[in-house]
């Protein structure tokens, strides 16, 4: 059963130490080499966790920087002990394995470590006395060594493209304790029989994706072998006869990827019967992907009898009726047998239902991404069309697959698509903060690691399922960098561009100014301006254009540096061009004027707005009826801040300052004070600074009207904000000013009265 428990103290402590090695257990020698403090002694329980967690972090956390001298920390067996080590991908190189050769390893799993060469084969020999479990799965170069520069190539030496020769004389001689061995995807040309012959204690063997035409050598372990995996091996009658002699097998896997290549062998009822009759200890069997030469199922009449049962006697698969007990596991993925009713196994892989699909993802993710990908695709269909009943398990399995195969296109495409449906609103209440953060992490990993249109689109869409910016704040800088990278690509997919701009806009809405300044320095403002310029060239006003202006409006809010960046990169030129090109686009006008309102709030930037052309444009927009009062209101706000600087800065003869102020008065008086607004204030500070002054009564009136409108229409939100920011005291000062107009004072009184009534209502203790 899937559980969503908090991380253990051990796991949290281990990760903290790995992220802060120099500050915890290590020091820097000569400013470059990590060394353990001399008074530290670490038992195997801790050392194993440190190494395995380190590999996991390097592989799954793109923000984690690997240490060049990490593995040598465990070279001294006097203060460290390693026993069970799992290494994967490019995390490990020959010198890393060499660094720990003095350890008495019991278990060593090397998965897809393609940087390992034959040097590591020699290192393996250091563990021959202690090693019980060894995996070399996917280590494609470990049987190659550098070609002897002075030698000549003979006909029987295989040479790979990097001019390395195949080692043919290595065997597991002396590995007397080795019981579990995985040689999956072994380099072609290695003589498996010779390699394995010295092993006397073998109980588990994985020969996945190795083509062996003779396997009779397996009978040397017929009294010991309990697990045999021959995935993607093209079988023959000889193979079946040999397998039938391995009478102590408990787990047999002869599955195959039905899409990988052509197989001559066809599974028959007789073969299944041979397995059932001879392998009497069998508890796990995988025949996924096989084409059945003949019908192995009971008649439709028998199939329809009774409720689904796992009792062998009722099995819909005829050969399995001879089983003494139900199997613990039965792999039927990519076979027609998974659709039958009575299957004698507790856990079945297949595509018939959610349970079978999740079992398949779980069983095949680590070593068979090609099969796991198809299983995830079936899960995608369930999440999209039906309802996923095992949400936690499904999410954990998809997350695991995406982490494990971050460079596998098929897994990334299907996994990111499944995550989109598994994280939507319908499932949100069933997901913990920890789980949703894990989803975000793998989504961002996918965006970083796989620059492919479908993956990028799926990942962006999945991020839209989260509360933004709150749920993304723990990865705020990273997600912004990724989105800006998408938007700065020379060739862009239109749909990804639209989603990315929407996300950028949401990320800079309702965040503190430090976040906005940081994102501005990352190129946010210039990126949005480039998108706007591109749309202008195309003469297109679409969602990308509108979202870009909206994003600029949000990122310049109370952020002078970003406002200055907007002006320095021809922002006003683009504003005028958009206004001219799209005169009827109300949403666009509102966003642009909102942005310019932010610019106008910055005193040292206002002189750049004080030109005859700009003032005339702002004045004309006072008469706009676009988007209710929003465009007119924002234009008046821009002019109010400019007027606040006084008549001395007004150096132009046309338009006259008094004429513009008259138009502002007329505009304000035309607005309905009960208008519902399409605006969101986090602070009233820019408005409040216009109140206690006598330089520009019209600016004072605009500010008072703005407060009156907002606290009247949205009292619960804005009355507390006005009280908190000392607005009442400033309004009382307006009442004392002789220069303030009577209508302004009357409005100020109403605001004070509203807030007073709101405070009294809030303090009501009536039961």
């Amino acid at each position: 059963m899937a559980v969503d428990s908090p991380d253990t103290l051990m796991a949290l402590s281990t990760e903290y130490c790995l992220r802060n090695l120099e500050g915890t257990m290590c020091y820097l020698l000569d400013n470059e080499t990590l060394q353990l403090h001399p008074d530290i002694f670490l038992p195997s329980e801790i050392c194993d966790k440190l190494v395995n967690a380190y590999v996991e972090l390097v592989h799954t956390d793109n923000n984690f920087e690997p240490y060049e001298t990490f593995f040598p920390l465990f070279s001294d067996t006097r203060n460290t002990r390693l026993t069970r080590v799992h290494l994967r991908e490019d995390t490990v190189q020959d010198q890393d394995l060499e660094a720990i050769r003095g350890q008495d390893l019991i278990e060593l799993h090397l998965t897809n470590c393609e940087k390992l060469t034959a040097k590591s084969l020699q290192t393996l020999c250091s563990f021959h006395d202690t090693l019980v479990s060894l995996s070399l799965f996917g280590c494609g170069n470990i049987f190659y060594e550098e070609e002897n520069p002075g030698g000549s190539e003979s006909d029987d030496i295989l040479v790979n493209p990097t001019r390395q020769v195949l080692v043919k004389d290595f065997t597991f001689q002396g590995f007397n304790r080795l019981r579990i061995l995985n040689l999956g995807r072994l380099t072609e040309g290695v003589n498996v029989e010779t390699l394995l012959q010295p092993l006397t204690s073998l109980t588990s063997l994985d020969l996945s994706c190795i083509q062996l035409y003779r396997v009779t050598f397996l009978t040397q372990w017929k009294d010991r072998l309990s697990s045999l995996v021959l995935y993607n091996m093209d079988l023959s009658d000889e193979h079946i006869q040999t397998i039938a002699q391995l009478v102590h097998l408990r787990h047999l896997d002869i599955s195959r990827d039905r899409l990988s290549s052509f197989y001559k062998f066809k599974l028959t009822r007789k073969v299944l019967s041979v397995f059932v009759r001879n392998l009497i200890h069998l508890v796990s069997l995988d025949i996924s992907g096989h084409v059945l030469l003949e019908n192995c199922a009971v008649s439709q009449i028998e199939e329809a009898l009774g409720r689904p049962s796992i009792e062998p006697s009722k099995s819909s698969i005829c050969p399995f009726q001879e089983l003494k007990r139900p199997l613990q596991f039965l792999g039927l993925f990519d076979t027609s047998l998974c659709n039958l009713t009575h299957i004698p196994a507790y856990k079945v892989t297949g595509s018939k239902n959610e349970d079978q699909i999740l079992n398949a993802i779980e069983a095949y993710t680590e070593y068979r991404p090609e099969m796991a990908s198809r299983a995830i695709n079936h899960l995608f269909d369930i999440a999209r069309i039906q309802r996923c009943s095992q949400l936690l398990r499904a999410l954990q399995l998809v997350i695991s697959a995406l982490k494990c195969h971050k460079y596998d296109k098929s897994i990334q495409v299907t996994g990111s698509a499944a995550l989109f449906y598994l994280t939507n609103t319908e499932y949100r209440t069933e997901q913990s903060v920890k789980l949703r953060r894990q989803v975000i992490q793998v989504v961002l990993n996918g965006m970083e690691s796989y620059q492919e249109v479908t993956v990028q689109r799926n990942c962006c869409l999945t991020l839209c399922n989260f509360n933004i910016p709150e749920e993304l704040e723990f990865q705020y800088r990273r997600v912004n960098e990724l989105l800006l990278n998408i938007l700065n690509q020379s060739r862009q997919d239109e749909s990804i561009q639209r989603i990315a701009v929407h996300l950028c806009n949401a990320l800079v809405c309702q965040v503190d100014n430090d976040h906005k300044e940081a994102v501005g320095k990352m190129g946010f403002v210039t990126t949005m301006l480039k998108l706007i310029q591109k749309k202008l060239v195309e003469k297109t006003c679409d969602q990308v254009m509108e979202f870009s202006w909206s994003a600029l409006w949000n990122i310049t809010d109370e952020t002078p540096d970003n406002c200055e960046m907007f002006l320095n990169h021809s922002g006003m030129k683009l504003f005028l061009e958009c206004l001219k090109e799209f005169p009827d686009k109300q949403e666009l006008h509102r966003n642009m004027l909102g942005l310019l309102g932010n610019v106008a709030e910055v005193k040292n930037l206002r002189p750049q707005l004080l030109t005859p052309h700009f003032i005339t444009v702002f004045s004309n927009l006072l008469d706009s009826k676009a988007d209710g009062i929003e465009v007119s209101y924002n234009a008046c706000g821009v002019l109010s801040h400019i007027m606040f600087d006084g008549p001395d800065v007004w150096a132009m003869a046309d338009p006259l300052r008094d004429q513009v102020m008259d138009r502002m008065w007329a505009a304000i008086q035309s607005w309905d004070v009960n208008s519902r607004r399409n605006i969101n204030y986090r602070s009233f500070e820019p408005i409040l600074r216009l109140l206690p002054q006598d330089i520009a009564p019209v600016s004072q009136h605009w500010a008072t009207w703005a407060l009156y409108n907002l606290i009247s229409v949205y009292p619960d939100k804005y009355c507390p904000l006005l009280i908190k920011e000392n607005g009442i005291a400033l309004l009382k000062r307006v009442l004392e000013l002789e220069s303030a107009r009577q209508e302004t004072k009357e409005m100020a009184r109403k605001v004070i009265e509203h807030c007073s009534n709101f405070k009294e209502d809030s303090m009501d203790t009536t039961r």
Side-chain angles (χ1 to χ4, degrees):
M1 182 179 177
V3 292
D4 188 20
S5 304
D7 290 327
T8 63
L9 182 58
M10 173 61 108
L12 292 170
S13 302
T14 301
E15 182 172 338
Y16 179 82
C17 288
L18 289 170
R19 292 185 185 277
N20 302 275
L21 279 177
E22 196 180 336
T24 52
M25 59 181 67
C26 298
Y27 67 95
L28 272 183
L29 180 67
D30 302 327
N31 290 323
E32 57 181 21
T33 306
L34 277 174
Q35 292 280 339
L36 276 178
H37 286 296
D39 56 347
I40 287 181
F41 302 92
L42 302 173
S44 62
E45 293 84 357
I46 292 177
C47 288
D48 290 350
K49 282 186 169 62
L50 282 169
V51 171
N52 296 334
Y54 171 80
V55 172
E56 181 73 6
L57 276 175
V58 172
H59 185 62
T60 62
D61 187 341
N62 291 15
N63 286 335
F64 183 77
E65 286 293 328
Y67 301 95
E68 285 188 17
T69 56
F70 177 76
F71 287 97
L73 293 176
F74 304 91
S75 60
D76 191 343
T77 57
R78 290 172 298 180
N79 54 11
T80 60
R81 288 281 192 275
L82 282 171
T83 55
R84 291 177 170 81
V85 175
H86 294 197
L87 309 177
R88 63 183 303 118
E89 312 284 332
D90 296 339
T91 313
V92 61
Q93 301 182 44
D94 289 327
Q95 62 266 30
D96 300 321
L97 214 54
E98 172 69 22
I100 61 172
R101 70 180 303 160
Q103 297 286 353
D104 293 333
L105 294 186
I106 295 172
E107 182 176 293
L108 177 60
H109 287 189
L110 304 172
T111 305
N112 295 321
C113 299
E114 295 190 355
K115 288 190 175 181
L116 295 182
T117 69
K119 291 178 182 178
S120 290
L121 282 183
Q122 301 310 311
T123 305
L124 282 183
C125 293
S126 305
F127 311 126
H128 72 273
D129 284 335
T130 57
L131 213 54
V132 173
S133 177
L134 173 65
S135 173
L136 301 179
F137 183 89
C139 298
N141 292 312
I142 201 167
F143 280 88
Y144 281 104
E145 63 184 355
E146 290 185 13
E147 183 182 8
N148 181 1
S152 60
E153 295 179 24
S154 62
D155 292 337
D156 63 336
I157 293 179
L158 292 177
V159 183
N160 75 0
T162 57
R163 308 304 296 174
Q164 293 180 317
V165 296
L166 189 69
V167 172
K168 292 194 169 186
D169 57 355
F170 177 84
T171 70
F172 286 110
Q173 186 69 45
F175 286 74
N176 298 325
R177 298 188 63 196
L178 193 62
R179 287 171 171 74
I180 302 168
L181 180 61
N182 185 339
L183 295 177
R185 301 189 190 278
L186 182 70
T187 306
E188 189 177 347
V190 175
N191 189 315
V192 177
E193 183 174 352
T194 303
L195 181 70
L196 300 181
Q197 193 274 329
L199 296 175
T200 57
S201 304
L202 208 59
T203 60
S204 175
L205 181 61
D206 190 327
L207 299 176
S208 294
C209 302
I210 303 172
Q211 295 309 319
L212 297 175
Y213 301 106
R214 292 184 65 256
V215 291
T216 51
F217 67 90
L218 294 176
T219 57
Q220 67 178 299
W221 303 292
K222 66 180 181 181
D223 295 328
R224 300 187 58 88
L225 206 60
S226 62
S227 175
L228 179 63
V229 179
L230 304 178
Y231 169 67
N232 262 0
M233 184 182 290
D234 196 8
L235 305 176
S236 67
D237 290 340
E238 182 189 308
H239 289 81
I240 301 304
Q241 291 168 13
T242 300
I243 292 171
Q245 296 178 58
L246 306 176
V247 294
H248 290 281
L249 280 182
R250 293 175 58 80
H251 170 66
L252 173 63
D253 185 341
I254 57 167
S255 62
R256 65 191 191 192
D257 174 20
R258 68 175 169 82
L259 300 182
S260 63
S261 60
F262 175 75
Y263 294 96
K264 297 177 184 177
F265 180 78
K266 299 292 187 290
L267 199 59
T268 64
R269 180 190 293 220
K270 179 183 176 183
V271 170
L272 292 179
S273 295
V274 166
F275 290 160
V276 171
R277 290 168 186 163
N278 289 270
L279 309 179
I280 59 173
H281 300 292
L282 210 60
V283 296
S284 171
L285 174 65
D286 201 330
I287 57 172
S288 296
H290 274 280
V291 176
L292 294 158
L293 192 61
E294 57 191 336
N295 184 20
C296 291
V298 297
S299 67
Q300 289 186 352
I301 297 175
E302 291 178 85
E303 168 75 354
L305 289 174
R307 300 177 63 182
S309 172
I310 63 170
E311 286 301 317
S313 60
K314 298 179 181 178
S315 173
S316 299
I317 306 168
C318 294
F320 293 158
Q321 291 177 354
E322 297 183 55
L323 286 167
K324 298 292 187 291
R325 66 193 71 81
L327 296 170
Q328 294 295 319
F329 175 90
L330 180 57
L332 300 177
F333 190 71
D334 278 341
T335 73
S336 58
L337 297 178
C338 72
N339 296 311
L340 298 174
T341 303
H342 310 294
I343 301 176
Y346 292 100
K347 182 176 281 191
V348 179
T349 68
S351 55
K352 179 183 179 180
N353 53 43
E354 182 180 338
D355 207 44
Q356 287 187 4
I357 291 166
L358 294 179
N359 290 340
I361 300 172
E362 185 175 61
Y364 306 131
T365 286
E366 184 167 12
Y367 296 126
R368 303 173 196 179
E370 59 279 4
M371 292 175 69
S373 173
R374 292 203 293 280
I376 294 172
N377 203 42
H378 287 301
L379 177 64
F380 164 77
D381 288 334
I382 286 178
R384 179 173 59 93
I385 301 168
Q386 305 169 30
R387 176 177 169 81
C388 185
S389 61
Q390 301 180 58
L391 178 66
L392 175 59
R393 186 182 177 210
L395 269 175
Q396 289 175 336
L397 289 172
V398 174
I399 289 169
S400 178
L402 288 167
K403 279 184 176 182
C404 193
H405 301 287
K406 63 180 181 179
Y407 296 112
D408 185 293
K409 176 181 177 180
S410 184
I411 287 280
Q412 290 298 321
V413 169
T414 57
S416 57
L419 282 184
F420 171 69
Y421 285 99
L422 292 170
T423 55
N424 66 23
T425 309
E426 180 185 2
Y427 297 116
R428 183 171 295 179
T429 56
E430 302 174 47
Q431 298 166 9
S432 67
V433 172
K434 173 188 169 186
L435 190 65
R436 287 176 73 79
R437 285 192 170 192
Q438 288 176 342
V439 172
I440 292 167
Q441 291 274 27
V442 294
V443 164
L444 298 183
N445 283 349
M447 292 172 71
E448 278 176 337
S449 305
Y450 213 89
Q451 304 298 317
E452 197 273 338
V453 171
T454 309
V455 173
Q456 297 282 327
R457 185 189 300 114
N458 291 348
C459 289
C460 286
L461 283 169
T462 301
L463 290 178
C464 292
N465 285 337
F466 291 83
N467 293 321
I468 303 173
E470 295 83 4
E471 288 191 282
L472 299 184
E473 197 145 6
F474 79 107
Q475 293 281 292
Y476 192 77
R477 182 179 184 85
R478 184 183 177 200
V479 69
N480 273 289
E481 285 177 341
L482 285 167
L483 291 170
L484 292 177
N485 182 55
I486 288 173
L487 293 172
N488 279 312
Q489 292 169 7
S490 54
R491 297 182 65 183
Q492 294 178 358
D493 177 87
E494 191 72 26
S495 62
I496 296 178
Q497 186 185 69
R498 185 172 62 253
I499 304 163
V501 174
H502 164 73
L503 286 167
C504 283
N505 186 26
L507 280 163
V508 293
C509 184
Q510 300 297 302
V511 293
D512 60 50
N513 294 346
D514 289 342
H515 280 65
K516 293 179 183 178
E517 287 174 2
V519 174
K521 290 173 183 174
M522 288 161 52
F524 189 101
V525 174
T526 53
T527 298
M528 294 302 143
L529 290 173
K530 286 176 186 174
L531 290 174
I532 291 166
Q533 177 68 61
K534 185 171 181 287
K535 291 297 177 182
L536 267 170
V537 171
E538 297 170 356
K539 298 186 182 300
T540 303
C541 183
D542 56 8
Q543 285 186 319
V544 171
M545 170 74 93
E546 292 181 354
F547 283 156
S548 297
W549 279 108
S550 179
L552 288 171
W553 181 6
N554 282 317
I555 202 173
T556 54
D557 182 30
E558 298 183 48
T559 317
D561 286 353
N562 291 341
C563 293
E564 186 173 13
M565 212 177 298
F566 168 79
L567 294 178
N568 291 345
H569 290 86
S570 306
M572 291 304 295
K573 176 175 175 288
L574 292 177
F575 161 67
L576 294 174
E577 289 177 2
C578 284
L579 207 58
K580 180 180 178 181
E581 187 66 41
F582 310 111
D584 302 320
K585 293 292 184 178
Q586 299 187 14
E587 181 84 6
L588 178 68
H589 293 184
R590 178 179 70 87
N591 292 341
M592 293 194 299
L593 266 295
L595 157 63
L596 293 180
N598 292 338
V599 175
E601 291 171 5
V602 185
K603 183 176 176 61
N604 65 306
L605 298 181
R606 286 200 284 270
Q608 297 187 51
L609 303 180
L610 197 54
T611 69
H613 191 181
F614 290 153
I615 295 299
T616 300
V617 169
F618 297 144
S619 299
N620 290 337
L621 288 170
L622 289 170
D623 301 326
S624 172
K625 304 302 179 187
D627 200 17
I629 67 166
E630 296 303 333
V631 172
S632 177
Y633 171 88
N634 284 325
C636 199
V638 172
L639 291 168
S640 293
H641 287 287
I642 292 172
M643 295 300 176
F644 181 57
D645 289 336
D648 294 342
V649 301
W650 198 280
M652 70 194 83
D654 184 36
L656 292 172
R657 184 170 184 267
D658 287 344
Q659 291 175 339
V660 175
M661 287 197 292
D662 287 343
R663 294 185 71 175
M664 291 168 67
W665 282 108
I668 297 169
Q669 288 166 350
S670 72
W671 303 336
D672 179 0
V673 78
N674 294 312
S675 297
R676 301 195 70 80
R677 306 300 305 283
N678 200 347
I679 199 166
N680 185 32
Y681 283 98
R682 292 189 304 122
S683 170
F684 282 142
E685 194 277 328
I687 294 176
L688 295 176
R689 73 170 74 124
L690 300 177
L691 289 178
Q693 48 95 7
D694 54 13
I695 296 173
V698 70
S699 303
Q700 187 182 65
H701 190 66
W702 174 83
T704 309
W705 188 96
L707 294 174
Y708 184 36
N709 165 250
L710 292 167
I711 64 105
S712 299
V713 180
Y714 309 103
D716 291 344
K717 180 175 183 179
Y718 289 119
C719 281
L721 181 61
L722 185 60
I723 294 166
K724 177 186 174 184
E725 296 189 335
N726 201 33
I728 303 303
L730 295 174
L731 286 164
K732 287 179 178 177
R733 286 176 60 186
V734 171
L735 298 178
E736 298 168 0
L737 290 171
E738 292 184 9
S739 60
R741 283 206 183 183
Q742 194 59 39
E743 55 197 296
T744 306
K745 291 182 178 182
E746 186 60 35
M747 208 172 284
R749 286 191 190 95
K750 290 179 180 178
V751 175
I752 295 168
E753 184 181 331
H754 263 344
C755 287
S756 177
N757 292 338
F758 178 83
K759 285 179 71 175
E760 290 176 7
D761 290 343
S762 299
M763 294 174 65
D764 189 356
T765 57
T766 305
R767 293 185 180 179

